[in-house]
Amino acid sequence: ATQLTLIAKWDISYISFLTGIFGLFIVWWTQTETKIDPKRVFLISLSFFWIAGTLLFGLYALRTAREEIKKDASQNQKEVIDTLVLRINKNFDERSATLTSFAGNEEIKESVKNSDQEAAIAIAKDIYEKLDNTERVLIYDKDGIAVGVYPRNSLAQGTNFSSRDYYQQTLKTYKGYVSPVFENILGTATIIHTEPIFEENNFIGMMGVALDLNRLALLYQVDGTIEYNLRAVDDKGTIVFDSDFTKIGLSESQFAFSQPRFLSSQFETIEIEQEAFTPRWSVSLETPVARLVAKLSSMHIILSLLLIVNAIFSIAAAIAAGARRKLEDVPQIVPASVLSNPRFV
């Protein structure tokens, strides 16, 4: 019954307590010769009503304390996720502003039009040094060929990326684009933030900033009095960052599972979700309820012991008050005249 209170099975816990106490009373009753005065049976009944009432009150107090903790945690989560999503959007907006300023630079336009690799690499290096959490900067011409890559990489330099979705989306919308997670030519999961380059309103190329997902995960970790499981998922259902770094770059569906209904309270969680509009991520914070109410465990045990002791004393008092006393236990009053005559003694 105590264990059931820990996992918030209040109705089953209540029935278990009552059944256990009544069962112990029946076992004791069958093993003793104590007889109850029929006129005082109501005292035993009253003791069980008292026990049922105190059990109900005690479990209600625990449930109220648990719900209050959950309410405070939900409010805390709302504040934390609001701050986190604001930080994510601000981070991408600032990166977009930096890329836009470089896109208007005449030097980058000339390097793209002339396929000047060294000039493009130098500009890519300048962008790389101005941005945080960047894995690689690429500058593409209008055909999608990488004319400048920094840090230098022979596999990426000169490669045609026009078939990539992020290139097609940038070309189609003429706007900066944040890609879903994809596998780059080195075989690692990444995302890329692009910005088109125009000359006289004509598309002549674009810039792309590949972001290190592990660095993003570190950047967007949250601090607080409550320990959270943090996750961001892109619009394709792929995990961009997670408190568990081993899940980064994997499909969220791989970690979806359901618990049997009778174990649902044991695995109960508080979860809040919000969208980061700039990168189109679904950001969620989750914490197990068991972790939050762990400090109530000792209270559960103490209260359970008090309820059991209360039940024992209540039943014992009722039995003592209602038991039929044996005749020999009743004091006999002998007249003094009888005591003075030895024959009647």
Side-chain angles (χ1 to χ4, degrees):
T2 302
Q3 184 63 30
L4 289 169
T5 64
L6 293 175
I7 60 174
K9 293 291 186 181
W10 307 111
D11 49 354
I12 302 177
S13 175
Y14 182 66
I15 294 172
S16 297
F17 270 117
L18 287 179
T19 303
I21 293 169
F22 185 74
L24 290 174
F25 170 75
I26 294 299
V27 170
W28 174 85
W29 180 260
T30 57
Q31 298 298 316
T32 64
E33 298 180 357
T34 303
K35 298 184 182 299
I36 303 297
D37 187 341
K39 296 180 179 179
R40 298 184 178 181
V41 171
F42 75 93
L43 293 175
I44 305 295
S45 301
L46 286 176
S47 71
F48 276 104
F49 281 118
W50 165 254
I51 291 168
T54 54
L55 281 173
L56 191 63
F57 178 79
L59 294 179
Y60 176 77
L62 287 176
R63 183 178 183 276
T64 302
R66 183 188 181 96
E67 291 302 316
E68 192 64 30
I69 289 175
K70 289 169 59 177
K71 180 181 177 181
D72 291 343
S74 295
Q75 182 61 36
N76 186 276
Q77 279 184 317
K78 179 66 169 61
E79 295 172 0
V80 170
I81 202 168
D82 285 345
T83 302
L84 176 61
V85 168
L86 181 64
R87 192 197 313 172
I88 292 172
N89 287 330
K90 181 180 179 181
N91 180 260
F92 276 89
D93 289 342
E94 289 176 348
R95 185 182 298 107
S96 181
T98 300
L99 292 176
T100 300
S101 67
F102 274 95
N105 191 309
E106 290 299 324
E107 292 181 3
I108 195 171
K109 294 178 182 180
E110 290 299 320
S111 66
V112 169
K113 289 190 300 181
N114 300 325
S115 296
D116 187 339
Q117 293 190 3
E118 289 304 317
I121 291 172
I123 296 171
K125 180 182 178 182
D126 194 14
I127 297 172
Y128 180 86
E129 291 174 346
K130 282 182 169 57
L131 298 176
D132 297 325
N133 307 301
T134 302
E135 184 178 37
R136 184 165 278 104
V137 176
L138 301 95
I139 299 176
Y140 310 83
D141 64 15
K142 65 179 181 178
D143 297 319
I145 297 174
V147 295
V149 179
Y150 189 86
R152 294 174 183 265
N153 184 279
S154 58
L155 290 176
Q157 186 72 39
T159 299
N160 190 325
F161 291 94
S162 61
S163 62
R164 292 284 190 175
D165 180 67
Y166 60 81
Y167 181 85
Q168 292 296 326
Q169 289 293 330
T170 306
L171 181 61
K172 178 182 177 180
T173 62
Y174 289 164
K175 294 180 180 180
Y177 178 73
V178 180
S179 76
V181 177
F182 67 96
E183 189 176 282
N184 61 24
I185 59 174
L186 301 178
T188 58
T190 188
I191 62 172
I192 194 163
H193 189 171
T194 69
E195 186 66 32
I197 303 172
F198 297 99
E199 185 177 61
E200 297 180 355
N201 292 326
N202 293 314
F203 178 84
I204 62 172
M206 76 173 200
M207 296 171 289
V209 178
L211 302 176
D212 187 316
L213 298 187
N214 286 331
R215 291 183 190 174
L216 285 181
L218 289 172
L219 176 65
Y220 298 134
Q221 290 302 306
V222 295
D223 298 321
T225 56
I226 300 175
E227 185 179 350
Y228 298 110
N229 297 323
L230 171 65
R231 176 176 294 179
V233 180
D234 65 20
D235 52 6
K236 302 293 185 183
T238 305
I239 298 173
V240 182
F241 62 83
D242 193 284
S243 297
D244 182 354
F245 283 25
T246 62
K247 296 179 181 179
I248 294 175
L250 302 178
S251 173
E252 187 181 34
S253 62
Q254 296 182 32
F255 306 99
F257 65 97
S258 59
Q259 292 292 340
R261 187 171 181 178
F262 66 90
L263 292 176
S264 59
S265 295
Q266 187 174 354
F267 294 92
E268 182 185 2
T269 60
I270 299 176
E271 183 175 359
I272 189 169
E273 188 174 325
Q274 191 170 319
E275 183 178 0
F277 291 104
T278 304
R280 307 181 315 283
W281 293 346
S282 175
V283 184
S284 62
L285 284 177
E286 178 187 79
T287 187
V289 172
R291 186 184 298 169
L292 295 173
V293 300
K295 58 185 178 182
L296 288 178
S297 297
S298 57
M299 186 186 299
H300 283 196
I301 296 171
I302 292 171
L303 185 57
S304 297
L305 290 174
L306 290 175
L307 291 173
I308 293 171
V309 170
N310 172 70
I312 292 173
F313 276 99
S314 297
I315 294 174
I319 292 172
R324 178 187 296 171
R325 291 188 291 180
K326 296 179 182 179
L327 186 60
E328 55 270 23
D329 293 336
V330 179
Q332 299 295 320
I333 301 175
V334 182
S337 59
V338 175
L339 290 175
S340 62
N341 192 337
R343 290 180 302 169
F344 297 98
V345 178

